[in-house]
């Protein structure tokens, strides 16, 4: 790509400036947010570098409920630890974003608060800009080659994780190991495997952020250009100019549609009915002769790799993969089969979105005054189209496929530790930190080698009990949406577009108890269209099965792997997210009206209440 002056604008994530007067309402300070009584021991399970300290009172923090909407167990917190280590490295040391570095995070009552690290010194900004141009622009110029290389790296990393041996301690070292002079006993393999498991997971997050911020940056540069050139343009209109993407994260849903068509073609569609368990469907198909076997063969083709998606967003161990629990995909098949038989087109409206975006791009281009502006506009939208598929596509490889492998490998260690009395159930391992899991493994290594019982069985059983009780208690308590000084200006576009945090939304949080009764809830206009229907308030993935045809989904946040339920719902409303959040992107790709970033929808809307969703204006109206 030819270097032009427009390049110097790619991507900047500016600071969040904080000022407030004594008269203004304030968010609580971190130091005033106490640990829920009786859970102090569980709070101390999180490492020291995750704890708030008094000097944190001087900074603004917000609760990252987009990625961590529920209290996090101490082991699951490795998902934040590894992610923010890699994100900060990409921003601060690798690509050197000019005005922002990494993200600091703190944990209290199992909730994850984050705060950005801004660069405000002009000299440092200038230095980082020079570094950024030498680094990031190389990626933009060679995007396709480097992205293909990235996919190979991810598949190699996945292959290495799959090849790790299952942790096992034999009664005696296998004779063949002795005769071959191996010289390393099986207990050492336990430690090596565990350390490689953690190492691979941390490495995955570095791959995750290798392209992500650059992908956002290219779009944010185009976004900023449009906002200046066309002051009245809506965020949603700019987002539509990059709609119609092809990305791997949509492939699992496409495979379900293919399997629905196969069921009809093979005349085994009668087996798939609402409410029937997946294992019963599989058992019945096994008795249906060649046709049943043919469908089961097609299922296996889809499962590897496309069922390696989990029902959440890749941050909680209990959000299991489709391959581990077929409930979600199989619950979607009856609906898809009914639509196939009715002649309904199941394809995403990609061609329509592409045509609409082409027309939008042309219409706004004609409004520009000079050839120089049109050339910059063309360059920026071309780059956005090249890089944007990564913004969603990477999730399949990272948050889903690899993360599922990671959690399942930890489960194997949980099984081994449970068999040796460290706790009652393999899932209990997730109530230990990754440091404590390693300590338990070394305890077991010594026990096996010495022939004496492990020493940590009572200790870890007690900790697991204490921490499970704390998680249950923390889930009963709300937490402040933000902490610390109120920002006067939020000029970091990523915070606005991903998390939906603006000065207006902060004001709404501060005044949440003062508003007069209103039948309107406002958020970001994510995907156009107007729909009326009954609201189905879903506060966890466990409640997805309650959705009925025509319901309007009301939730904290959605993710791309909820796509199979989009065939049932008529619109979506979320508490969290901005115009470029995953919920907003997915809604546009499926042509589903949506309002995101409302902040309070799951609290103000009652389950079953009739509502109207205006996705073009970002307004939800309570009709009952």
């Amino acid at each position: 790509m030819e270097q032009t002056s427009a390049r110097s604008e790619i991507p900047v994530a500016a600071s969040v400036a904080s000022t407030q007067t004594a008269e203004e309402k304030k968010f609580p300070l971190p130091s005033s947010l106490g640990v829920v009584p009786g859970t102090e021991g569980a709070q101390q399970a999180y490492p020291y570098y995750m704890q708030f300290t008094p000097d944190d009172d001087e900074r603004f923090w917000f609760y990252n409920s987009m990625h961590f909407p529920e209290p996090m167990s101490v082991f699951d917190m490795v998902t934040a630890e590894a992610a923010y280590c890699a994100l900060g490295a990409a921003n601060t040391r690798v690509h050197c974003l000019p005005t922002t570095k990494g993200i600091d995070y703190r944990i209290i009552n199992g909730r994850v608060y984050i705060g950005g690290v801004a660069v405000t010194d002009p000299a440092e900004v200038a230095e980082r800009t020079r570094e950024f141009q030498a680094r990031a622009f190389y990626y933009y110029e060679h995007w396709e080659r480097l992205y293909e290389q990235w996919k190979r790296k991810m598949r190699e990393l996945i292959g290495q994780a799959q090849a790790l041996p299952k942790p096992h301690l034999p009664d005696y070292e296998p004779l063949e190991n002795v005769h071959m002079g191996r010289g390393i006993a099986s207990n050492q393999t336990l430690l090596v495997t565990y350390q490689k498991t953690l190492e691979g997971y941390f490495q995955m997050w570095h791959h995750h952020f290798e392209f992500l911020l650059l992908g956002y940056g290219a779009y944010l540069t185009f976004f900023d250009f449009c906002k200046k050139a066309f002051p009245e343009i809506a965020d949603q209109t700019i987002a539509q100019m990059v709609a119609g993407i092809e990305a791997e994260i949509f492939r699992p849903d496409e495979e379900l549609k293919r399997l629905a068509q196969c069921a009809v073609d093979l005349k085994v569609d009668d087996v798939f009915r609402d409410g029937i368990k997946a294992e019963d469907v599989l058992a019945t198909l096994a008795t249906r002769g060649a046709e049943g076997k043919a469908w089961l063969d097609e299922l296996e083709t889809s499962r590897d790799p496309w069922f390696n998606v989990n029902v959440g967003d890749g941050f909680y161990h209990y959000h299991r993969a489709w391959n581990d629990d077929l409930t979600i995909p199989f619950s979607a098949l009856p609906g898809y089969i009914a639509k196939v038989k009715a002649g309904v087109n199941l394809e995403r409206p990609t061609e329509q979105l592409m045509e609409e975006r082409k027309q939008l791009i042309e219409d706004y281009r004609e409004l520009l005054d000079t050839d120089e502006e049109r050339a910059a506009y063309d360059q920026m939208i071309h780059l956005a189209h090249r890089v944007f598929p990564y913004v969603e596509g990477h999730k399949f490889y990272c948050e889903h496929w690899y993360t599922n492998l990671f959690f399942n490998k930890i489960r194997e260690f949980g099984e081994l530790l449970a068999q040796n009395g460290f706790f009652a159930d393999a899932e209990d391992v997730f109530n230990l930190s990754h440091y404590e899991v390693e300590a338990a493994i070394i305890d077991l290594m010594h026990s096996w080698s010495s022939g004496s019982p492990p020493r940590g069985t009572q200790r870890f059983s007690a900790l697991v009990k204490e921490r499970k009780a704390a998680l249950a208690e923390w889930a009963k308590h709300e937490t402040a949406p933000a902490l610390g000084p109120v920002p006067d200006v939020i000029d970091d576009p990523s915070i606005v577009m991903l998390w939906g945090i603006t000065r207006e939304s902060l004001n709404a949080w501060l005044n949440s108890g003062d508003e007069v009764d209103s039948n309107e809830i406002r958020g970001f206009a994510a995907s156009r269209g107007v729909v009326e229907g009954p609201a189905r308030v879903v506060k966890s993935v466990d409640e997805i099965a309650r959705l009925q045809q025509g319901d309007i989904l009301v939730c904290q946040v959605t993710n791309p792997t909820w796509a199979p339920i989009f065939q049932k719902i008529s619109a979506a409303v979320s508490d969290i997210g901005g115009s470029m959040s995953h919920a907003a992107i997915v809604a546009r790709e499926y042509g589903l009206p949506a309002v995101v970033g409302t902040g309070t929808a799951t609290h103000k809307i009652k389950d079953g209440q009739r509502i109207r969703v205006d996705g073009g204006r970002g307004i939800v109206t309570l009709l009952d």
Side-chain angles (χ1 to χ4, degrees):
M1 186 178 69
E2 183 182 357
Q3 292 195 16
T4 70
S5 60
R7 288 176 145 203
S8 63
E9 301 174 11
I10 297 173
V12 291
S15 64
V16 177
S18 298
T19 61
Q20 72 182 18
T21 66
E23 292 77 21
E24 289 179 323
K25 290 188 176 180
K26 303 177 181 179
F27 291 114
L29 296 176
S31 61
S32 70
L33 194 63
V35 177
V36 173
T39 67
E40 293 84 359
Q43 172 67 31
Q44 289 305 311
Y46 302 109
Y48 71 92
Y49 48 83
M50 298 183 186
Q51 307 281 350
F52 276 116
T53 55
D55 57 346
D56 290 328
D57 283 356
E58 300 174 6
R59 299 175 58 184
F60 173 70
W61 306 84
F62 66 91
Y63 173 36
N64 187 3
S65 55
M66 171 181 284
H67 297 116
F68 309 106
E70 304 163 33
M72 296 284 288
S73 73
V74 64
F75 188 91
D76 287 5
M77 203 59 77
V78 73
T79 61
E81 182 176 7
Y84 292 136
C85 279
L87 181 151
N91 281 10
T92 309
R93 312 291 180 183
V94 179
H95 295 307
C96 303
L97 272 64
T99 59
T100 188
K101 294 183 179 178
I103 288 179
D104 284 337
Y105 66 104
R106 304 288 187 268
I107 316 301
I108 188 164
N109 297 323
R111 311 286 185 172
V112 181
Y113 283 89
I114 62 176
V117 181
V119 182
T120 57
D121 175 46
E124 186 176 2
V125 171
E127 177 187 347
R128 293 181 64 80
T129 298
R130 290 191 296 272
E131 290 290 342
F132 175 82
Q133 290 173 341
R135 298 158 185 264
F137 292 155
Y138 184 86
Y139 266 73
Y140 289 131
E141 291 167 6
H142 302 90
W143 189 271
E144 287 77 15
R145 175 179 65 80
L146 291 171
Y147 188 26
E148 286 304 313
Q149 176 179 299
W150 180 91
K151 289 182 181 180
R152 291 195 297 272
K153 288 187 296 190
M154 276 306 305
R155 287 187 174 269
E156 288 174 4
L157 193 64
I158 287 167
Q160 291 167 10
Q162 291 171 327
L164 289 173
K166 183 174 182 178
H168 170 67
L169 287 176
D171 288 338
Y172 298 99
E173 191 66 24
L175 191 59
E176 58 269 25
N177 289 351
V178 178
H179 286 177
M180 69 185 295
R182 183 181 175 204
I184 299 174
S186 296
N187 59 345
Q188 174 64 14
T189 304
L190 285 188
L191 184 60
V192 170
T193 302
Y194 180 72
Q195 291 173 338
K196 285 184 176 179
T197 300
L198 274 183
E199 177 188 346
Y201 187 66
F202 274 74
Q203 182 177 336
M204 178 276 288
W205 279 106
H206 281 270
H207 290 325
H208 175 281
F209 287 108
E210 181 181 352
F211 286 82
L212 186 61
L213 276 301
L214 298 181
Y216 282 133
Y219 174 77
L220 293 177
T221 302
F222 177 68
F223 179 91
D224 185 59
F225 177 92
C226 289
K227 282 294 188 180
K228 292 175 181 176
F230 320 115
E232 301 301 319
I233 195 170
D235 293 4
Q236 182 183 151
T237 301
I238 305 173
Q240 285 178 265
M241 294 187 192
V242 295
I245 62 175
E246 291 296 335
E248 287 89 339
I249 197 61
F250 298 116
R251 183 67 181 273
D253 187 44
E254 301 301 323
E255 288 297 308
L256 285 184
K257 297 170 184 176
R258 187 185 72 82
L259 290 171
Q261 183 67 59
C262 287
V264 174
D265 294 343
L266 292 167
K267 296 182 171 54
V268 295
D269 52 280
D270 59 298
V271 177
F272 299 89
R273 300 189 300 277
D274 285 329
I276 297 183
K277 294 181 179 180
E279 55 265 32
D280 294 335
V281 173
L282 296 176
T284 301
L285 286 169
T287 69
R288 293 292 291 268
E291 292 79 8
K293 182 180 184 303
W295 192 90
L296 291 173
D297 288 343
E298 293 296 335
L299 172 64
E300 291 307 309
T301 299
S302 295
R303 291 184 72 164
D304 184 15
W306 303 113
F307 277 27
N308 288 299
V309 290
N310 60 59
V311 298
D313 207 19
F315 295 98
Y316 294 86
H317 72 272
Y318 49 83
H319 290 168
R320 303 301 298 272
W322 287 7
N323 267 334
D324 296 332
D325 183 355
L326 291 169
T327 300
I328 288 290
F330 272 53
S331 66
L333 283 170
Y336 279 148
I337 288 171
K339 292 185 177 183
V340 168
K341 295 172 74 173
V344 176
N345 182 10
L346 297 182
E347 299 300 317
R348 281 191 297 128
T350 305
E351 291 186 8
Q352 177 186 338
L353 291 171
M354 295 279 281
E355 190 61 35
E356 290 175 353
R357 89 178 190 184
K358 179 182 177 183
Q359 191 63 52
L360 278 174
I361 292 168
E362 292 175 353
D363 289 346
Y364 277 95
R365 189 179 190 278
E366 291 179 3
L367 299 177
L368 296 170
D369 294 327
T370 67
D371 288 342
E372 182 180 1
E373 287 179 321
R374 284 186 284 272
Y377 177 85
D378 292 344
Q379 182 186 40
M380 284 183 280
I381 189 61
H382 176 66
L383 179 60
H385 286 163
R386 287 174 59 215
V387 307
F388 203 71
Y390 175 85
V391 171
E392 287 299 297
H394 75 281
K395 291 178 68 65
F396 173 72
Y397 294 97
C398 297
E399 284 97 322
H400 294 276
W401 194 355
Y402 196 92
T403 297
N404 291 330
L405 288 171
F406 171 69
F407 279 137
N408 282 338
K409 178 56 66 175
I410 298 302
R411 279 190 176 87
E412 291 179 358
F413 281 101
E415 291 171 1
L416 182 64
L417 291 170
Q419 290 167 6
N420 286 274
F422 282 81
F423 33 70
D425 185 86
E427 295 294 300
D428 290 340
V429 71
F430 296 108
N431 290 286
L432 306 181
S433 72
H434 65 81
Y435 301 107
E436 290 171 328
V437 174
E438 181 166 323
I441 288 170
I442 295 173
D443 183 358
L444 180 59
M445 290 167 60
H446 178 267
S447 168
W448 181 82
S449 63
S450 66
S452 57
R455 301 193 64 192
T457 52
Q458 292 184 349
R459 167 184 169 79
F460 288 119
S461 292
L463 291 179
V464 165
K465 182 179 179 180
E466 175 186 54
R467 293 169 187 177
K468 290 169 76 171
L471 283 172
E473 185 62 30
W474 290 337
K476 299 175 185 177
H477 297 263
E478 298 293 333
T479 195
L483 303 171
V486 179
D488 186 52
V489 176
I490 297 180
D491 56 0
D492 184 334
S494 64
I495 290 179
V496 175
M497 287 192 288
L498 296 182
W499 279 280
I501 295 177
T502 64
R503 191 61 180 85
E504 291 72 24
S505 65
L506 293 182
N507 285 338
W509 290 349
L510 286 168
N511 298 305
S512 60
D514 299 341
E515 68 269 15
V516 296
D517 289 340
S518 171
N519 69 333
E520 285 189 352
I521 301 171
R522 293 180 176 268
F524 286 87
S527 183
R528 67 188 180 188
V530 180
V531 168
E532 293 184 8
R536 194 63 57 212
V537 181
V538 173
K539 294 191 175 181
S540 75
V541 294
D542 297 331
E543 300 179 2
I544 290 177
R546 297 196 300 110
L547 288 163
Q548 301 297 315
Q549 198 71 38
D551 282 351
I552 295 175
L553 170 65
V554 179
C555 59
Q556 288 182 308
V557 63
T558 69
N559 69 77
T561 58
W562 288 21
I565 68 169
F566 284 8
Q567 62 166 314
K568 288 186 175 182
I569 63 177
S570 57
V573 179
S574 74
D575 289 345
I576 309 300
S579 60
M580 292 308 292
S581 63
H582 297 301
I585 292 172
V586 173
R588 285 191 293 271
E589 291 296 321
Y590 282 85
L592 193 75
V595 177
V596 301
T598 63
T600 58
T602 57
H603 293 282
K604 291 185 176 180
I605 298 174
K606 296 181 176 63
D607 195 64
Q609 185 174 21
R610 192 164 183 82
I611 64 175
R612 179 190 303 122
V613 177
D614 186 337
R617 295 195 300 152
I619 298 174
V620 181
T621 306
L622 312 182
L623 301 177
D624 291 347

